[in-house]
Amino acid sequence: MAATTIPQVTLHSSSGHRKMPVIGLGTAPEATSTVTTKDAVLEAIKQGYRHFDAASAYGVEQSVGEAIAEALKLGLIQSRDELFVTSKLWVTDNHAHTIVPALQKSLRTLQLEYLDLYLIHWPIATKPGKVVYPIEVSEIVEFDLKGVWESMEECQKLGLTKAIGVSNFSISRLEKLLSFATIPPAVNQVEVNLGWQQQQLREFCREKGITVTAFSPLRKGASRGANLVMDNDILKELSDAHGKTVAQKTDMKNLQICLRWLYEQDLTFVVKSYDKDRMKQNLGIFEWSLTEDDYKKIAEIHQDRLIKGPTKPLLDDLWE
């Protein structure tokens, strides 16, 4: 099976103009999957995936590291440098003095000498301790963004990561960060999908040279109610118009419409599926295009944020 070659973007403010594949595999655990993270990452490497998105809070760094080691042993890749590995700093370590040790711990767990990208997972800090989700508001402490970012910059200067960035940052939080950053964030990873298109935030990041990475690109989350994207009549109409084969399932077509739209918006994105066929389907978006009429219909899709926040109860000031 020939591996797919995935387009890349160059990250601003990264060491050595690091390139990031536009599509990556998210490794947050799937409760319903019978496939292990290690096996999923190995299969993804075989198919051509080169970007893997992890986080200390996911509890998968060891599995991702084992998969990378196995891929090298099997000759699926010749060098670790062929991969782009992202991980994230959890809120319990969102303190200036704990960030370098937290990244060093992640590297030991991953069995890697460096990350390609290290992100602040959420723009809040809590008391040190175990990972608990959702986060109890009573655990939240003052978030020293300036001190935290100086430590993130130190991580890049030490060569522990090729690039640094943020996740779940609003425009106002990015403006505050940019007011003192000597190394601007290379990436802002946020929810973007057809049901939450984030046009203002995307335009701001484009102006500032910040690459946007979309999570929840397919608007999953059945536990939170109806899927405003995958179950959308407008999307079903578009997928019928772009149907590749009669045998192709409707949800597969819908999936491709969602990802193709992100790609045409010059976004990067992480998809989370450990299913072998779905992984392959995710890579089938680079040889066709959406039409002007498609964009008119997409503009009609109702907009609502899926991921409201990580806390219980929700914070009033997390977003604009």
Side-chain angles (χ1 to χ4, degrees):
M1 178 183 66
T4 300
T5 300
I6 296 172
Q8 298 180 315
V9 297
T10 300
L11 297 182
H12 297 276
S13 75
S14 62
S15 303
H17 302 289
R18 192 68 172 145
K19 291 184 181 296
M20 181 169 77
V22 300
I23 184 170
L25 183 74
T27 61
E30 283 199 333
T32 58
S33 177
T34 59
V35 181
T36 66
T37 296
K38 179 181 177 180
D39 288 343
V41 172
L42 273 171
E43 174 60 31
I45 290 173
K46 291 176 185 176
Q47 293 197 21
Y49 286 83
R50 293 296 180 263
H51 178 191
F52 297 95
D53 181 81
S56 59
Y58 296 165
V60 297
E61 288 177 326
Q62 182 175 341
S63 297
V64 172
E66 289 173 353
I68 293 170
E70 184 75 9
L72 286 164
K73 183 179 176 182
L74 294 172
L76 299 176
I77 51 173
Q78 302 307 307
S79 165
R80 177 265 180 267
D81 294 345
E82 295 177 30
L83 301 181
F84 190 101
V85 183
T86 298
S87 198
K88 308 182 193 76
L89 174 81
W90 188 238
V91 296
T92 50
D93 289 315
N94 227 353
H95 310 277
H97 66 286
T98 57
I99 290 172
V100 172
L103 176 49
Q104 290 171 328
K105 181 181 178 182
S106 284
L107 290 174
R108 287 194 300 271
T109 308
L110 285 159
Q111 304 175 58
L112 298 177
E113 293 183 359
Y114 67 90
L115 287 179
D116 297 279
L117 178 63
Y118 196 43
L119 303 177
I120 297 174
H121 206 148
W122 286 95
I124 57 176
T126 66
K127 302 168 189 172
K130 294 181 179 180
V131 174
V132 177
Y133 195 91
I135 300 160
E136 293 291 343
V137 170
S138 60
E139 293 294 303
I140 293 176
V141 296
E142 183 180 357
F143 178 41
D144 175 19
L145 179 57
K146 190 170 190 295
V148 163
W149 193 251
E150 287 173 354
S151 294
M152 292 289 285
E153 291 178 340
E154 183 67 12
C155 289
Q156 183 166 326
K157 291 172 184 175
L158 289 170
L160 301 174
T161 183
K162 302 292 185 184
I164 52 177
V166 296
S167 183
N168 299 297
F169 268 53
S170 62
I171 291 174
S172 63
R173 291 179 191 275
L174 287 171
E175 286 175 331
K176 182 179 179 181
L177 174 54
L178 291 169
S179 71
F180 52 70
T182 58
I183 302 176
V187 168
N188 185 20
Q189 185 178 126
V190 292
E191 179 190 344
V192 185
N193 50 61
L194 291 182
W196 190 242
Q197 296 176 18
Q198 297 259 54
Q199 186 172 347
Q200 283 184 302
L201 178 62
R202 290 191 285 117
E203 288 177 356
F204 177 86
C205 289
R206 185 180 297 116
E207 290 171 4
K208 302 299 181 181
I210 301 170
T211 295
V212 172
T213 297
F215 68 74
S216 297
L218 305 178
R219 186 71 181 204
K220 297 289 181 157
S223 61
R224 297 182 178 91
N227 189 325
L228 295 180
V229 170
M230 296 298 278
D231 298 330
N232 190 282
D233 288 338
I234 293 172
L235 186 61
K236 290 174 182 175
E237 183 181 338
L238 294 179
S239 67
D240 286 341
H242 287 281
K244 305 295 185 298
T245 66
V246 176
Q248 196 171 339
K249 294 180 180 178
T250 299
D251 66 334
M252 291 291 193
K253 298 182 211 171
N254 290 357
L255 177 152
Q256 288 198 328
I257 298 284
C258 295
L259 299 186
R260 180 68 199 187
W261 178 82
L262 291 167
Y263 179 59
E264 292 187 10
Q265 301 303 305
D266 296 323
L267 299 178
T268 61
F269 44 95
V270 291
V271 290
K272 194 180 76 173
S273 177
Y274 285 4
D275 179 80
K276 182 178 179 179
D277 292 334
R278 182 60 61 90
M279 281 187 201
K280 184 178 180 181
Q281 199 73 31
N282 290 341
L283 299 180
I285 64 168
F286 300 115
E287 298 175 354
W288 57 282
S289 301
L290 295 168
T291 67
E292 186 176 337
D293 190 51
D294 293 337
Y295 272 92
K296 290 177 181 176
K297 289 185 171 70
I298 286 170
E300 298 172 12
I301 295 175
H302 176 73
Q303 298 295 294
D304 181 49
R305 188 189 299 276
L306 175 68
I307 310 299
K308 311 290 187 186
T311 61
K312 182 183 178 182
L314 294 169
L315 299 175
D316 294 331
D317 61 348
L318 190 60
W319 318 108
E320 267 98 66

